[in-house]
Amino acid sequence: MSVASQPVPAPAPSAKEAGADERTGGVRLIVRLLQRPELGALLGAMAVYALFATVDATPGHRFSSIAGMQNWTDVASSYGIMAVAVALLMIGGEFDLSAGVMTGTSGLLLGMMITRYQLNVWVGIVVVLVFAAVIGAMNGLLVIRTKLPSFIITLATFFVLRGVDVGVTKLLTNTVRFDVSDHAPGFASAQAILGSTFLAPYNFQDAVLWWIAITIIATWVLTQTTFGNWIFAVGGDANAARAVGVPVVRTKIILFMVTAMSAGLVGIMVALRFKGIQSGQGVGQEFFYIIAAVVGGCLLTGGYGSAIGASIGALIIGFAQIGIIFAGWESDWYYTFLGVILFLAVGVNTVVRRRASSARR
Amino acid sequence: MNDSKKVIPLLEVRNVSKYFGSVIALRDISMQVNGGEVTCVLGDNGAGKSTLIKILSGVHPHDDGELLVEGHSVHFGGPRDARAAGISVVFQDLATVPLMSIWRNFFLGSEPTLGIGPARRLDIGFAKKVMREEMGKMGIDVRDPNQPVGTLSGGERQAVAIARAVYFGAKVLILDEPTSALGVRQSGIVLKYVVQARERGLGVIFITHNPHHAFPVGDRFVLLNRGRLMGSFAKSETTLAELTQMMAGGEELERLSKELEKMATEPELEQVARELAQEAGGKPG
């Protein structure tokens, strides 16, 4: 990689494309790789994995075993599903600080419907997702209508929901927890799909499969579909997008709805898995989603990023959280570690953005 | 300003006015745009150029008068209607999304797709191929279709927007101040694209406040001042000096030159004052 600074022409890896313009001799493979938003995250993940595999103090090196993998994928999946949704929203140029608390609100709503009103679990799931979609649409509409930064609007939503979560739970149960009865109709089938485990001796969480599926779908949408093109456009330059006929308002509102519905899904999974949910569930997690998305290459200013990158970002969070425990360190260092990772990622992203938005000639 | 040709113009504006409340933004404007011609709309800031573009591109409806596309009277309900009628606007800085690749920008808002239902996806191969071809027609060889538009020069970015408009069936191309943010060299490049679009048979409306950019490429010149039509000329009927003088308002230039003369203690300033006086029309001061 030191070749770049030398005047001697390096052998071009993509010789087939050469011949169009003698000044550059085609686009080098390395350059093309460096253009990928998730590359930095991938290298970072490898380094973090290597670090915690080395400092692992458990007998039998649990971190690098399959049992360890079960541990860190469990953590990563709970952040990952949301990180992907938040990444799409960030690429679309907006934030959602209510994404964390929304997981709690959704789980509590499901618990309330199942335990107090004896609804079928599947009906409850549909109601929760519709409710989440409405909250997301409200976030989006408020952002569009008021023209205020989504940071402020969703911060308000965050606090409103946080209060409602605790207030309503206390009002109805006199505790801070909603139990989800496993005798409820439809509970067994719902839990099997959303809150159970697979791969018998190791017992990976179902959420891991959901996480992988959602990452693949989001990547497909982002890179291969018209809507994905619109997401990049509304985040990159909403006025330019509007000028060529992209429905900017619709695109942004859908992104807010998708984020809230993903939070609904995560809340449902938590409630079913633990047969109950705490009223403070999800509070503070929105920052982990944003960290994962940024570490994965999303620009805070929008218009650039990737879903795979956000998933890798979530994976790094999983490595760090489990790795620090296995290393026998004080677990509070976890936050410091994530802070440093975030710093590094933002540094790399800034360079990328400067490269991408300044003229080459 | 009656029809001098028998040909039906691509776009014709007849006595159009536009009011915003009590403000008269445009009054009694008439102009014609023919295929294979560049019509330059000249005017200083506040002359009504932007309002005129917005009427032509369907953003604002006109209040009085008539808008004719190929001889048929139209009322645009929005920008989509105008685009469907073959009228495309290339805005100065709203043309492209810098962080997106050239091919994504090229097809933004009108993406080609393959398949149906949930399998419906962008036809990326087609998009890249067409983009390369269309940019090639403008004399730009795109090496890497994935290159972000932000890494292109200002002139090339305009070229992407122009090539895109032409590809999507624009018959009338409105260029809104395409050179105002550019340096001399880049402006020259954009002017080259203007001529190219004309050669390909498009009716080009070139909006500018710089007569030095308008005169070399224009076939007709429409001058606006404070929402009114100051004049409309074919190239043979006018000169660059005349255009410049009318644009700035002859009297105002005269006054400026007088003021400068009074203040002028340095020979350079005196020279500027003399030039202003000349541009003001050579009328005896």
Side-chain angles (χ1 to χ4, degrees):
Chain A
M1 262 141 272
S2 60
V3 182
S5 58
Q6 291 175 14
V8 188
S14 55
K16 283 169 232 157
E17 285 189 34
D21 192 322
E22 72 290 348
R23 281 174 300 183
T24 56
V27 186
R28 295 213 181 108
L29 188 64
I30 291 172
V31 174
R32 241 190 273 168
L33 274 178
L34 284 172
Q35 283 174 346
R36 304 294 315 160
E38 56 275 83
L39 182 86
L42 188 63
L43 295 177
M46 281 152 64
V48 172
Y49 182 88
L51 170 70
F52 286 112
T54 315
V55 298
D56 190 357
T58 53
H61 292 290
R62 202 180 147 102
F63 187 83
S64 37
S65 70
I66 295 184
M69 186 191 261
Q70 193 279 337
N71 293 134
W72 48 255
T73 52
D74 184 4
V75 175
S77 63
S78 69
Y79 292 125
I81 293 172
M82 289 309 296
V84 168
V86 165
L88 294 194
L89 184 65
M90 270 176 76
I91 296 169
E94 305 291 345
F95 285 104
D96 187 355
L97 293 184
S98 68
V101 76
M102 193 61 211
T103 63
T105 310
S106 307
L108 291 165
L109 180 63
L110 185 69
M112 187 176 85
M113 285 188 299
I114 294 171
T115 314
R116 271 190 87 85
Y117 302 108
Q118 274 90 44
L119 271 175
N120 183 299
V121 176
W122 287 106
V123 175
I125 287 172
V126 171
V127 172
V128 167
L129 290 177
V130 170
F131 168 79
V134 170
I135 297 285
M138 263 174 49
N139 273 338
L141 276 173
L142 281 171
V143 168
I144 302 283
R145 282 284 152 80
T146 60
K147 296 195 168 71
L148 288 169
S150 50
F151 191 86
I152 293 299
I153 297 290
T154 58
L155 184 64
T157 313
F158 171 20
F159 272 68
V160 169
L161 290 179
R162 184 178 179 173
V164 168
D165 281 5
V166 182
V168 172
T169 309
K170 275 189 175 165
L171 209 66
L172 294 177
T173 66
N174 286 320
T175 65
V176 290
R177 182 187 153 90
F178 245 115
D179 287 322
V180 175
S181 156
D182 53 3
H183 301 304
F187 183 87
S189 58
Q191 199 201 31
I193 292 175
L194 291 157
S196 181
T197 58
F198 65 99
L199 272 184
Y202 304 109
N203 295 329
F204 282 86
Q205 289 298 323
D206 281 354
V208 176
L209 293 181
W210 283 94
W211 171 38
I212 293 168
I214 286 173
T215 306
I216 291 170
I217 293 169
T219 303
W220 157 269
V221 169
L222 206 50
T223 61
Q224 304 294 314
T225 70
T226 301
F227 189 70
N229 218 29
W230 293 353
I231 295 176
F232 282 115
V234 298
D237 188 337
N239 289 327
R242 199 174 288 116
V244 294
V246 173
V248 175
V249 171
R250 204 206 316 165
T251 304
K252 290 203 172 193
I253 289 178
I254 289 174
L255 287 174
F256 274 108
M257 289 169 74
V258 166
T259 308
M261 287 171 80
S262 304
L265 181 68
V266 171
I268 290 164
M269 288 200 278
V270 171
L272 292 174
R273 175 177 171 189
F274 297 106
K275 295 180 186 167
I277 191 159
Q278 302 286 333
S279 59
Q281 173 72 35
V283 171
Q285 301 222 319
E286 56 283 340
F287 294 116
F288 291 88
Y289 311 152
I290 293 174
I291 289 174
V294 171
V295 167
C298 289
L299 290 180
L300 288 160
T301 41
Y304 192 78
S306 99
I308 294 176
S311 276
I312 297 173
L315 200 57
I316 291 178
I317 295 178
F319 288 160
Q321 191 169 324
I322 298 298
I324 283 176
I325 297 169
F326 285 0
W329 299 346
E330 195 63 51
S331 63
D332 296 318
W333 289 108
Y334 163 57
Y335 296 101
T336 309
F337 184 82
L338 284 188
V340 172
I341 294 274
L342 182 62
F343 260 126
L344 293 175
V346 172
V348 171
N349 288 357
T350 309
V351 173
V352 167
R353 184 188 160 79
R354 215 170 284 153
R355 283 258 176 91
S357 58
S358 65
R360 281 182 192 168
R361 271 168 277 144
Chain B
M1 262 144 300
N2 289 320
D3 286 359
S4 51
K5 294 186 178 181
K6 289 281 171 234
V7 195
I8 299 169
L10 276 179
L11 181 69
E12 189 175 356
V13 177
R14 268 191 209 158
N15 312 104
V16 159
S17 300
K18 176 74 198 171
Y19 315 101
F20 294 109
S22 59
V23 180
I24 303 162
L26 281 181
R27 180 180 282 176
D28 207 15
I29 304 293
S30 296
M31 64 181 273
Q32 285 179 18
V33 180
N34 295 315
E37 274 186 20
V38 178
T39 305
C40 296
V41 177
L42 288 147
D44 213 341
N45 296 338
K49 301 191 299 281
S50 320
T51 311
L52 183 61
I53 304 170
K54 282 177 180 161
I55 289 173
L56 296 181
S57 60
V59 177
H60 293 321
H62 51 282
D63 292 324
D64 290 331
E66 244 187 323
L67 202 58
L68 296 102
V69 176
E70 292 177 320
H72 303 287
S73 180
V74 289
H75 264 275
F76 294 140
R80 272 179 191 275
D81 286 359
R83 224 171 300 139
I87 301 171
S88 250
V89 192
V90 174
F91 292 100
Q92 180 200 135
D93 27 323
L94 298 182
T96 50
V97 182
L99 283 166
M100 290 174 79
S101 65
I102 306 175
W103 71 266
R104 279 184 185 273
N105 263 292
F106 195 94
F107 284 95
L108 186 58
S110 322
E111 292 83 355
T113 54
L114 276 175
I116 45 161
R120 197 164 149 196
R121 60 202 183 273
L122 293 175
D123 193 346
I124 296 175
F126 173 81
K128 286 182 178 172
K129 192 187 74 161
V130 168
M131 182 275 290
R132 268 209 163 114
E133 281 169 13
E134 293 298 313
M135 292 299 283
K137 285 181 199 164
M138 305 211 57
I140 296 176
D141 176 33
V142 178
R143 273 165 267 118
D144 177 11
N146 290 319
Q147 189 180 347
V149 157
T151 61
L152 297 175
S153 68
E156 286 169 332
R157 259 179 264 183
Q158 296 274 346
V160 173
I162 294 172
R164 175 171 67 188
V166 173
Y167 175 73
F168 285 109
K171 285 177 264 177
V172 178
L173 191 62
I174 304 177
L175 302 169
D176 180 19
E177 302 269 4
T179 58
S180 70
L182 301 179
V184 177
R185 204 183 108 76
Q186 291 296 327
S187 294
I189 292 171
V190 170
L191 293 181
K192 192 184 86 185
Y193 300 143
V194 171
V195 174
Q196 256 168 5
R198 181 186 66 188
E199 306 285 278
R200 289 164 75 173
L202 276 85
V204 181
I205 303 179
F206 180 19
I207 313 235
T208 181
H209 58 250
N210 190 337
H212 298 274
H213 288 162
F215 195 75
V217 298
D219 297 297
R220 288 163 168 273
F221 303 92
V222 174
L223 278 102
L224 298 182
N225 189 22
R226 294 170 172 271
R228 286 168 185 270
L229 190 68
M230 271 179 76
S232 180
F233 311 94
K235 192 169 196 165
S236 54
E237 297 166 1
T238 185
T239 64
L240 176 58
E242 238 175 50
L243 277 180
T244 315
Q245 180 240 329
M246 279 190 291
M247 250 196 76
E251 290 156 31
E252 247 173 272
L253 271 189
E254 249 173 71
R255 191 170 49 77
L256 268 178
S257 77
K258 287 242 175 70
E259 277 174 27
L260 266 179
E261 236 171 284
K262 272 185 223 154
M263 294 155 59
T265 46
E266 293 162 45
E268 284 91 347
L269 266 183
E270 270 173 50
Q271 176 61 28
V272 173
R274 230 173 293 136
E275 278 171 16
L276 272 178
Q278 259 173 21
E279 282 198 356
K283 281 181 267 173

